[in-house]
Amino acid sequence: MSRLRGYLSTTRSVVCIPRPRRIDEFRNPLEFLNGIHDAVEAHGIHFMSTGNIHGNITTHTVCIGAPSGDPTRKGFLIDSPVFNPLFQSANILSQNTIPTRKSLPQDYIDDLESFYYIIAWVSMAYKAPGKIIPTKRFPRVLACWAAEPDTREAALNKETLLRSDGFDCRVPGTALFDVPGLPACVIFEALLGLIHLVLRHLYAEKWANWDVRTQTYTGKLASPKKVYATILDYLRRAAYAMSTSVEPAPGMEAHGEDGEGGEMWWDKLFTET
């Protein structure tokens, strides 16, 4: 699958008022969430129209701003020759560090997993915009990834995280997350929990339908359009909760059901595009 086609290059000057910033140069948590939302939305539009993925989603390639200067758009994607294994998916990291192990073709879900790690990194490692907490205070899993992001252990750790219940650590209630009337860490924890449910289901689904002999998927996979719509909805709900200082509900509970007769939310991902 092709990647990186159609994205702005870091080797070119991007005209933007104000000049775009890296996603980890956000001014406040709401700006960060809006930037991630717009970048995911742009990624989905590009993938659905071209079939091309990005393949290098990191804090260097997700930017805040807009090439057109449109004040309503907060985030977009650029290309970069630099790869950061800290944000690579379990599948891609496994290909690079455990070459003898079975792996899956790279696709858009690997990029969405990278967005997930960016959200986790910023919400757990930053105490304020542009300020990272001391390394010794990192949650254990982030400390391991930050110290050795391109190792076999990191790949296996990410795979275990995807197959299990996600991060087993809490988002710290630091200065970054002080929102009047509601700790923003509650919002980020709910958001991470919901995105993890999506990724866990998609990860298991791909492995269950992958035929090693023919190197093809033999079963029905989730609709990419519905996957993007689901994640974008969660990001919008999180941003709304952040902007209004209300509990991230309804729909932000990380319980895996949509509340309609017990139907699991992912059942809707298999329907028509």
Side-chain angles (χ1 to χ4, degrees):
M1 182 175 290
S2 300
R3 63 177 179 83
L4 298 179
R5 296 178 182 175
Y7 294 100
L8 296 172
S9 171
T10 53
T11 60
R12 293 191 296 164
S13 174
V14 179
V15 178
C16 181
I17 304 174
R19 185 169 181 79
R21 291 164 280 130
R22 289 176 13 173
I23 192 66
D24 57 357
E25 296 175 330
F26 59 93
R27 295 194 178 102
N28 55 66
L30 180 58
E31 183 182 58
F32 170 77
L33 286 174
N34 285 332
I36 291 291
H37 172 277
D38 290 351
V40 171
E41 185 176 54
H43 186 282
I45 292 172
H46 187 74
F47 173 73
M48 297 297 293
S49 62
T50 68
N52 296 328
I53 62 174
H54 187 282
N56 187 24
I57 301 295
T58 73
T59 52
H60 285 79
T61 59
V62 181
C63 294
I64 298 171
S68 65
D70 182 352
T72 66
R73 309 305 298 171
K74 299 299 183 183
F76 66 101
L77 293 166
I78 62 173
D79 186 7
S80 173
V82 179
F83 286 80
N84 188 342
L86 179 64
F87 304 108
Q88 285 184 322
S89 69
N91 180 51
I92 300 306
L93 194 57
S94 180
Q95 291 179 12
N96 296 334
T97 61
I98 319 174
T100 58
R101 199 161 185 258
K102 295 178 182 178
S103 61
L104 298 168
Q106 186 174 12
D107 62 18
Y108 77 99
I109 298 173
D110 291 291
D111 280 354
L112 292 178
E113 187 180 335
S114 293
F115 279 112
Y116 172 66
Y117 294 137
I118 290 176
I119 296 171
W121 171 253
V122 168
S123 63
M124 295 183 188
Y126 281 71
K127 63 180 180 180
K131 296 182 179 180
I132 298 178
I133 63 177
T135 306
K136 63 182 180 181
R137 291 177 51 197
F138 279 9
R140 184 178 60 84
V141 63
L142 288 190
C144 293
W145 292 355
E148 298 180 313
D150 57 349
T151 61
R152 177 180 184 275
E153 289 69 25
L156 294 176
N157 184 286
K158 286 182 176 180
E159 181 178 322
T160 299
L161 180 144
L162 286 178
R163 292 184 182 276
S164 62
D165 296 327
F167 290 98
D168 59 0
C169 50
R170 301 296 302 274
V171 173
T174 59
L176 171 61
F177 304 107
D178 288 339
V179 177
L182 177 69
C185 56
V186 174
I187 298 172
F188 276 89
E189 285 178 355
L191 178 62
L192 286 170
L194 285 166
I195 295 177
H196 171 263
L197 285 174
V198 177
L199 294 174
R200 183 176 68 181
H201 177 73
L202 296 175
Y203 191 75
E205 176 191 77
K206 289 203 302 180
W207 274 111
N209 288 283
W210 179 246
D211 188 314
V212 178
R213 183 179 59 83
T214 62
Q215 295 291 290
T216 59
Y217 290 109
T218 58
K220 190 174 183 180
L221 300 180
S223 158
K225 182 177 180 180
K226 294 299 180 70
V227 171
Y228 280 107
T230 298
I231 291 180
L232 288 171
D233 180 58
Y234 293 156
L235 286 165
R236 282 192 293 269
R237 290 175 183 270
Y240 175 78
M242 188 76 69
S243 64
T244 58
S245 297
V246 299
E247 290 291 344
M252 283 295 292
E253 305 87 350
H255 49 46
E257 295 185 0
D258 65 10
E260 298 178 6
E263 179 186 17
M264 302 304 285
W265 63 264
W266 54 69
D267 289 340
K268 297 180 179 180
L269 300 181
F270 293 94
T271 57
E272 73 287 345
T273 59

